[in-house]
Amino acid sequence: MEAIVGIICEYDPFHRGHRRQFDLIRAQLPGARIVCAMSGPFTQRGMPALHSPADRARAALEAGADLVLELPCAFAVRDAEHFALGGISILTRLGFVTHLSFGAEDGLDALMPAAALLDAPTPAFQEALRAALARGASFAAAQGEALAACLPAPRPAPWEKPNNILALCYLRALRRLESPLIPLPVRREGDYHAAALEGRRWPSATAVRAAFLGGDLAAARAACGYDLPAAPVCRPEALDRVLLYKLRAQNAEALARLPDCTEGLENRLKACAARAATREELLSLLKTRRYAYARLSRLCCHALLDVTAGLLAAHPLPTYARLLGLRRGALNGELRQSALPLPARAAELNPDDPLAALDLRAYDLWALGAGLAQGMLQRQKVCVL
């Protein structure tokens, strides 16, 4: 059977490192077709993507992807566990994807024992986790301490490396969803968070965005390997005032309904929003040893998008995946057999589906930040190459 490989991604923006993943997949599985489940206007960092979903999907197709679907916003702006669950649910329900490819610093032999322990924690693991949390560690740090207490590993341990952290979530999601997808890790080279492009064969998305936002469009384009669009873009600070207004206008009870807003964090959020003049200042005021920066950033994004804990709890898995782009003739027969709805136009979205309503809000907010008119999703067309 011909291999069809799924990738869960953001491509913010698509760059040479992502193209390398395509090449490595096809080196292992010649002739493999590639399906990307990509975040839409907002990313897991809790930030607007720099470029539109349409521009990012086109870049992936031009680099060799065969199909690009959109991961609904409810799963794109989530912790690693739910980001992975959303993406793997989509790829599994398509019914024709055979493999899951992801970046990792280590191989499956190092990752599988940790994934199994996280999925079925032992009493010793649970006790170590409780002890770390009681000392005030963040959940991610406490989880790492508990793994270290139960599994022998060199330092840095596999679960301490940035790509491995998400890889473990993918492996756990495969187990939880009883997915038949075959894991296909790709060895990650280079620093995932490297802030500079100089001297790096494989750039990080962080460095590409920094070069672009710093005005060095030529360097950003060189790192991406294509004509990265200069516009439209939504800069990181573009929606700061909208966010601060929404936080200041809501009472603490409303803020408490945000996802992951627990232990009185709503009161701290309300007080800090009254003092901050920018999003970065707000996060600086909010940050404590207990609350990780990424969690707080997603909390702010959820407030911006009117996402509640109740909405996410009521929709544990995606109900659809929007079609962003495809290679002509590549997967037409397979798409007709998909068990998952794949709307190509905004008019095909279910108006009663809260996940669809959230996606519409996300597109309109991104358009506002990019200086575009409302109705961006309604105007977006499927990219066909």
Side-chain angles (χ1 to χ4, degrees):
M1 184 174 66
E2 185 179 22
I4 301 177
V5 181
I7 299 174
I8 304 167
C9 54
E10 293 186 322
Y11 297 155
D12 183 28
F14 190 93
H15 56 65
R16 289 199 315 268
H18 300 127
R19 188 187 297 267
R20 172 179 176 268
Q21 183 180 12
F22 290 2
D23 293 341
L24 291 175
I25 288 170
R26 289 181 170 132
Q28 295 182 69
L29 300 170
R33 289 176 288 177
I34 293 174
V35 176
C36 301
M38 188 187 78
S39 299
F42 290 81
T43 68
Q44 200 203 4
R45 307 187 318 278
M47 296 293 292
L50 193 58
H51 292 87
S52 72
D55 283 340
R56 287 149 49 221
R58 174 174 289 277
L61 291 170
E62 289 177 346
D66 295 284
L67 175 67
V68 183
L69 302 172
E70 184 173 301
L71 180 65
C73 186
F75 301 90
V77 187
R78 295 292 293 279
D79 58 83
E81 176 186 350
H82 292 92
F83 178 84
L85 276 171
I88 289 175
S89 174
I90 286 172
L91 295 173
T92 301
R93 289 189 63 198
L94 289 174
F96 53 80
V97 177
T98 59
H99 294 70
L100 174 73
S101 177
F102 50 86
E105 289 88 356
D106 293 289
L108 290 177
D109 56 340
L111 297 174
M112 292 298 280
L117 182 56
L118 289 169
D119 204 43
T122 62
F125 176 90
Q126 292 172 326
E127 178 56 35
L129 180 68
R130 283 193 293 268
L133 289 172
R135 290 195 303 273
S138 68
F139 184 81
Q143 188 171 259
E145 288 187 33
L147 284 168
C150 299
L151 293 175
R155 300 306 300 266
W159 50 83
E160 295 173 336
K161 302 173 186 177
N163 286 275
N164 283 351
I165 292 171
L166 188 52
L168 286 171
C169 290
Y170 290 143
L171 294 173
R172 293 183 65 198
L174 290 173
R175 292 167 58 100
R176 290 174 62 183
L177 296 176
E178 299 182 342
S179 172
L181 301 183
I182 301 169
L184 187 70
V186 168
R187 184 79 64 175
R188 173 80 189 201
E189 294 183 12
D191 186 348
Y192 182 69
H193 295 297
L197 292 175
E198 291 81 2
R200 299 193 180 275
R201 184 182 179 191
W202 307 115
S204 71
T206 301
V208 176
R209 288 193 301 270
F212 184 97
L213 293 168
D216 196 347
L217 185 56
R221 285 174 169 167
C224 290
Y226 64 96
D227 194 19
L228 186 68
V233 298
C234 185
R235 295 182 66 90
E237 70 278 6
L239 296 169
D240 282 13
R241 292 183 179 180
V242 180
L243 169 65
L244 291 171
Y245 170 77
K246 296 194 80 163
L247 291 175
R248 292 175 184 181
Q250 296 188 67
N251 58 33
E253 290 75 19
L255 295 176
R257 291 193 284 272
L258 293 170
D260 228 8
C261 194
T262 57
E263 303 169 325
L265 181 55
E266 67 275 12
N267 297 310
R268 184 177 181 85
L269 183 59
K270 181 74 175 171
C272 292
R275 295 168 54 197
T278 67
R279 185 181 187 279
E280 281 303 309
E281 185 181 0
L282 171 64
L283 290 173
S284 178
L285 291 169
L286 283 170
K287 179 76 177 72
T288 67
R289 185 167 178 264
R290 182 75 166 181
Y291 301 121
Y293 182 94
R295 172 183 171 180
L296 295 171
S297 183
R298 283 190 293 270
L299 178 66
C300 289
C301 192
H302 286 148
L304 186 66
L305 292 165
D306 295 323
V307 179
T308 65
L311 184 150
L312 298 183
H315 299 84
L317 294 173
T319 51
Y320 65 90
R322 288 188 56 254
L323 179 61
L324 291 176
L326 71 161
R327 190 169 299 281
R328 198 181 305 275
L331 289 164
N332 288 353
E334 288 86 352
L335 287 173
R336 285 192 288 270
Q337 299 171 21
S338 171
L340 182 73
L342 303 173
R345 298 179 297 115
E348 296 172 11
L349 293 172
N350 179 357
D352 297 322
D353 186 343
L355 298 186
L358 173 55
D359 279 348
L360 286 163
R361 290 198 300 276
Y363 267 83
D364 281 342
L365 272 166
W366 192 94
L368 179 65
L372 302 176
Q374 191 175 12
M376 177 180 163
L377 190 148
Q378 290 87 337
R379 295 189 299 272
Q380 183 171 289
K381 296 180 180 179
V382 175
C383 177
V384 181
L385 295 185

